[in-house]
Amino acid sequence: MKLAIEVKGLTKTFGSFTAVNQVDMRIPENMVYGFLGPNGSGKTTAIRMMCGLLEPTAGEITVLGMQIPARTEAIRQQVGYMTQRFSMYGDLTVEQNLDFIGKIMGVTGKHLKRRKEEVKEQFNLQSFTSFLAGELSGGQKRRLALAAATIHKPRLLLLDEPTSEVDPNTRRDFWDQLFTMCDQGATILVTTHLMDEAERCHHLAIINDGIKVADGSPAALKSDLAAAIVEVKSPRPAQIKSHLHSLTPVISVTQVGMLLRVMVDPQLASPLEWLSKELASFVDVEIRTSSPSIEDVFVMATRKMSRDAEHGN
Ligand SMILES: Nc1ncnc2c1ncn2[C@@H]1O[C@H](COP(=O)(O)OP(=O)(O)OP(=O)(O)O)[C@@H](O)[C@H]1O
Ligand SMILES: [Mg+2]
């Protein structure tokens, strides 16, 4: 199995603060690899190190078989990086931005002309070519940024929250494009806070406080989840919710309309029976077991660390 990215012991400290802490990652070629984690967990910092823009404090990085920093220049030609913050030139038009970025990435002449047409069509930018980038809407800016990141047909795409501010239909198109590029041989590392997007990835890594806390396919992560999921339906979920919060085996409670999704300690012999007894005094309550979602996996992986920390472990 060829790896597009291999990092070992990747660490970044800012003064006394450790933003990325001993992270190991192996990303095989030709997959869509999701990178999840709460705000401030170190995703952007890790990605910036992977494309040679930020020097690690410690650790080794190999991208497309080449080591960073020794081969950073060669790597850049084959990597597309879409930053979390909009980094196009606001006072240049869409066309001028694509032209400029294309040339920086070594695409010239007829080839550049063809690639510009292709990405404009791919990301639905044809009607905006003469607009200044700074005057585009949030979602249009994201489309331009992705078009620019892919203009040189990179073998590896690093996408930092590419779909924030993007409407649901455009988001679908985005993901279709990602899979098309993956089918054509690209490897894609993508950060997202959207669980439906995480679910679509071939593989996921979850980072919390700079530490990698989970790694696996969405299906494996769900089936390995160390928690039972029970759904409680009630016309008065608020009262039940506060009662559930007071019970030690309850790990988390999420309300979806009149439904409460309860994550329960799997050590309990029968979470369903236990919860039915605990809620016996409430009327009109329906209780049933449910299967874990990626959101449950995320909540569990990122919560465990903070609980451990609270207990001084
Ligand atoms: N140049 C810097 N100097 C000091 N601290 C920094 C620097 N860059 C990042 N950090 C800190 O490192 C931590 C990780 O930041 P990072 O941007 O990598 O998080 P993230 O996982 O990308 O978060 P988000 O989901 O909000 O984008 C944060 O606490 C941030 O404040
Ligand atoms: Mg970030």
Side-chain angles (χ1 to χ4, degrees):
M1 181 179 61
K2 273 179 104 181
L3 297 176
I5 298 181
E6 183 172 24
V7 300
K8 286 187 202 153
L10 188 63
T11 299
K12 182 70 192 179
T13 56
F14 296 109
S16 60
F17 175 73
T18 306
V20 176
N21 196 348
Q22 294 286 336
V23 167
D24 294 336
M25 263 165 114
R26 290 163 62 83
I27 305 183
E29 279 192 346
N30 212 219
M31 65 160 55
V32 178
Y33 193 101
F35 194 18
L36 314 182
N39 291 136
S41 54
K43 302 178 297 296
T44 299
T45 307
I47 289 179
R48 295 186 68 212
M49 290 191 280
M50 288 175 202
C51 51
L53 289 171
L54 186 69
E55 197 184 337
T57 309
E60 285 171 30
I61 308 173
T62 310
V63 172
L64 301 170
M66 297 178 271
Q67 281 213 308
I68 287 181
R71 306 287 309 281
T72 302
E73 279 316 309
I75 290 167
R76 282 214 184 121
Q77 300 297 316
Q78 300 185 49
V79 174
Y81 173 38
M82 180 173 164
T83 53
Q84 183 172 357
R85 273 198 223 139
F86 186 61
S87 58
M88 300 290 103
Y89 296 92
D91 50 359
L92 295 187
T93 64
V94 166
E95 185 75 23
Q96 287 166 334
N97 267 289
L98 291 174
D99 209 59
F100 186 64
I101 305 288
K103 283 176 186 153
I104 289 179
M105 298 317 293
V107 190
T108 50
K110 275 190 193 150
H111 184 44
L112 177 57
K113 198 164 175 251
R114 196 180 68 239
R115 281 301 294 151
K116 278 195 298 186
E117 292 312 312
E118 283 171 359
V119 294
K120 279 187 287 186
E121 192 189 330
Q122 206 176 352
F123 300 105
N124 224 338
L125 290 164
Q126 297 101 322
S127 8
F128 308 108
T129 48
S130 57
F131 279 45
L132 291 179
E135 290 171 357
L136 298 174
S137 76
Q140 290 161 352
K141 280 182 178 152
R142 295 264 126 196
R143 272 151 47 192
L144 170 59
L146 190 55
T150 55
I151 195 146
H152 57 304
K153 283 215 164 172
R155 284 171 62 198
L156 174 65
L157 259 179
L158 305 170
L159 308 177
D160 201 353
E161 291 187 37
T163 60
S164 60
E165 298 185 281
V166 171
D167 71 59
N169 290 331
T170 311
R171 215 151 66 75
R172 277 188 175 201
D173 294 344
F174 248 69
W175 275 84
D176 281 347
Q177 300 292 354
L178 297 192
F179 282 112
T180 304
M181 288 188 268
C182 185
D183 284 345
Q184 292 167 350
T187 307
I188 296 163
L189 173 65
V190 54
T191 74
T192 180
H193 291 293
L194 300 169
M195 295 299 128
D196 65 312
E197 293 189 349
E199 191 88 53
R200 299 181 71 167
C201 296
H202 295 114
H203 197 99
L204 296 172
I206 305 178
I207 185 172
N208 191 36
D209 291 339
I211 297 170
K212 194 179 78 176
V213 288
D215 188 335
S217 68
L221 289 171
K222 284 188 282 188
S223 72
D224 292 350
L225 184 72
I229 310 296
V230 182
E231 282 180 353
V232 178
K233 201 174 169 196
S234 151
R236 279 172 302 281
Q239 286 172 323
I240 298 185
K241 192 157 67 174
S242 65
H243 179 62
L244 288 170
H245 277 305
S246 70
L247 304 172
T248 314
V250 170
I251 299 167
S252 77
V253 185
T254 314
Q255 184 167 353
V256 186
M258 293 207 301
L259 197 75
L260 296 170
R261 212 174 149 75
V262 190
M263 208 188 286
V264 183
D265 188 337
Q267 305 287 342
L268 289 173
S270 171
L272 192 67
E273 259 175 49
W274 171 78
L275 207 56
S276 304
K277 275 190 199 146
E278 285 292 341
L279 301 179
S281 59
F282 293 92
V283 289
D284 290 338
V285 173
E286 286 171 43
I287 304 180
R288 58 169 194 196
T289 48
S290 178
S291 45
S293 66
I294 282 295
E295 183 167 321
D296 298 325
V297 170
F298 182 89
V299 167
M300 191 66 183
T302 53
R303 160 175 293 255
K304 222 168 149 193
M305 297 298 294
S306 51
R307 281 201 163 183
D308 286 351
E310 274 168 30
H311 295 122
N313 295 326

